[in-house]
Amino acid sequence: MRRKVLYYMITVFLFSFSHLALSQEVKINADSLLKVATILYQQNDNVRSVELSQKILNNYPDYTDVKILLARNYMVQSKYDDARTVLDEVLKTEPQNYDAHTAIIDLNYWSKKYEACVLCSNSALDYYPADTNFIQRKNKCIKESQTRMMSYSDALKETTYKNKLSVAYVNDYAFNDIPTSHLAYIEYARQMERATLVGRFNYANRWEQDGYQVEADAWLKTTPGSYAYLNAGVSDNTVFPKYRAGAEYYQALPNKFEVSLGARYLFFDPDNVFIYTLSGTKYIDTYMFSARTYVTPNDSNTAVTGLFTIRCYTSDVDFYGIQFNLGVDPDLNSNIATSGNYYINTVGVRVEYRKTIAPNWQTTIYAGYERQEYLNNQFRDVVTAHIILSYLF
């Protein structure tokens, strides 16, 4: 009987020891895998790093260092909600975890939630009052928060004022015997809850002829993230098309992309011109990158125009930028004279600048150069100056 009891005790001890050794081996493997996952993260191989981190957590769901690494990977992939869920879980169980506090501060900064960034910095400083890392991160968040509030304040000036009255002048000077072209207009815009309506009166002098045109624009909010543009115009049929109309639909996409699809119609008695347009825009921080094409079909020829614009916003309403064009831009009234304009070869560049010069005043300036084929194989150099002065009230 004693021999059986002794045998049983030895068996239980050996089993317990082997199980403990196996657990330590698995733990050692988990640590090794974490090192590999960290290297993958440092090499920007976030997909494999996430897969490896999740594999470790399947066996060790409370492995905090792995959770923080997983959250860091999610942040790089812009999966901010997933990263926040993981870090909130860590801080709930380990409220003093230094690396988790650092990561959630970075998460709020990267996702541009600067007020939350400041609050998380304060939470970290409650546990580490003199830590320079958290102090520096907090100051960085405060600076960005103040910058955003200044930008918001500038935008508020325009959105608070529901009315905008603008006067403008455009001069196209050609370096040859062709007379200088002049365009002037006065414009009134009214902002409402779901729409902005614009009325415009244009006057132009081209080839020593005077012309007049009345236009109306409407920018309509349709659903969240989308809006529509409508345009209609009528003229005395001299240097403007007799009738014009336009429509375009804009749709916001994830990751600050926007696309649009639309059409323009111009009637030059007796010619009709149909123009189709497509655009794509990407916003990166304060920069906008936009590409647009116009396609004008014809029985004998099809004109294709390409525009590429780079713009930097110094506030929500002020900006500076540059635009390159290959072909004629039909949305510029200074380019519209005859139905044949859209089939000429044109290449150009234009710089643009808008500045709020007083609480109620804005100025916008465009300056450009084009090389135009105005007749078959005959080219001219054209310099354009376009200035707009706007009063907000």
Side-chain angles (χ1 to χ4, degrees), residues 267-283:
F267 176 70
F268 299 87
D269 193 11
D271 297 327
N272 293 297
V273 178
F274 290 93
I275 304 168
Y276 305 95
T277 183
L278 173 69
S279 76
T281 302
K282 167 67 175 176
Y283 295 91

Side-chain angles (χ1 to χ4, degrees), residues 167-391:
V167 292
Y169 171 70
V170 184
N171 183 291
D172 292 328
Y173 179 78
F175 291 92
N176 53 20
D177 294 333
I178 297 175
T180 298
S181 174
H182 304 272
L183 170 69
Y185 61 86
I186 183 169
E187 178 182 281
Y188 169 71
R190 170 68 179 177
Q191 182 176 322
M192 296 179 287
E193 183 177 356
R194 297 191 60 82
T196 298
L197 304 180
V198 182
R200 188 181 309 108
F201 178 76
N202 300 307
Y203 160 78
N205 179 277
R206 298 190 186 96
W207 305 295
E208 300 179 344
Q209 293 186 79
D210 295 326
Y212 306 90
Q213 182 187 59
V214 177
E215 280 186 284
D217 297 333
W219 298 88
L220 309 174
K221 297 178 183 178
T222 53
T223 60
S226 64
Y227 58 97
Y229 164 74
L230 300 173
N231 167 264
V234 61
S235 80
D236 60 353
N237 197 33
T238 52
V239 296
F240 293 103
K242 187 173 183 178
Y243 304 111
R244 70 171 297 154
E248 191 160 356
Y249 179 78
Y250 294 81
Q251 178 63 56
L253 300 176
N255 297 319
K256 297 185 178 180
F257 278 99
E258 182 183 80
V259 295
S260 74
L261 180 66
R264 310 287 188 265
Y265 168 72
L266 305 172
F267 176 70
F268 299 87
D269 193 11
D271 297 327
N272 293 297
V273 178
F274 290 93
I275 304 168
Y276 305 95
T277 183
L278 173 69
S279 76
T281 302
K282 167 67 175 176
Y283 295 91
I284 302 176
D285 294 329
T286 60
Y287 288 89
M288 181 198 78
F289 300 87
S290 180
R292 176 181 289 275
T293 184
Y294 296 94
V295 179
T296 309
N298 186 275
D299 294 337
S300 58
N301 189 16
T302 297
V304 178
T305 294
L307 303 178
F308 182 68
T309 305
I310 303 173
R311 182 178 290 175
C312 177
Y313 285 88
T314 55
S315 75
D316 283 11
V317 294
D318 297 337
F319 60 81
Y320 61 89
I322 187 169
Q323 181 184 87
F324 303 93
N325 70 285
L326 183 63
V328 174
D329 182 354
D331 281 337
L332 294 180
N333 258 326
S334 58
N335 284 332
I336 298 175
T338 68
S339 59
N341 275 34
Y342 306 103
Y343 307 98
I344 64 175
N345 293 317
T346 299
V347 61
V349 60
R350 185 179 77 167
V351 294
E352 50 187 28
Y353 177 75
R354 175 185 285 175
K355 178 66 176 176
T356 301
I357 55 178
N360 297 75
W361 292 93
Q362 248 178 27
T363 183
T364 308
I365 299 172
Y366 301 97
Y369 163 79
E370 282 191 340
R371 178 74 169 169
Q372 299 177 350
E373 182 185 29
Y374 64 100
L375 292 174
N376 188 30
N377 292 322
Q378 295 187 43
F379 292 85
R380 63 181 179 183
D381 298 305
V382 179
V383 174
T384 299
H386 182 174
I387 184 167
I388 307 168
L389 183 63
S390 302
Y391 177 70

Side-chain angles (χ1 to χ4, degrees), residues 98 101-102 105-106 125 130-138:
Y98 186 93
H101 278 293
T102 302
I105 293 169
D106 290 343
L125 288 167
D131 189 89
T132 56
N133 168 46
F134 293 134
I135 292 173
Q136 289 174 356
R137 276 174 160 77
K138 178 180 178 180

Side-chain angles (χ1 to χ4, degrees), residues 41 45-46 49-50 53 69-77:
Y41 168 76
D45 193 347
N46 303 106
S49 183
V50 167
S53 299
L69 178 63
L70 179 62
R72 288 282 185 184
N73 277 292
Y74 285 149
M75 289 161 60
V76 174
Q77 296 174 315

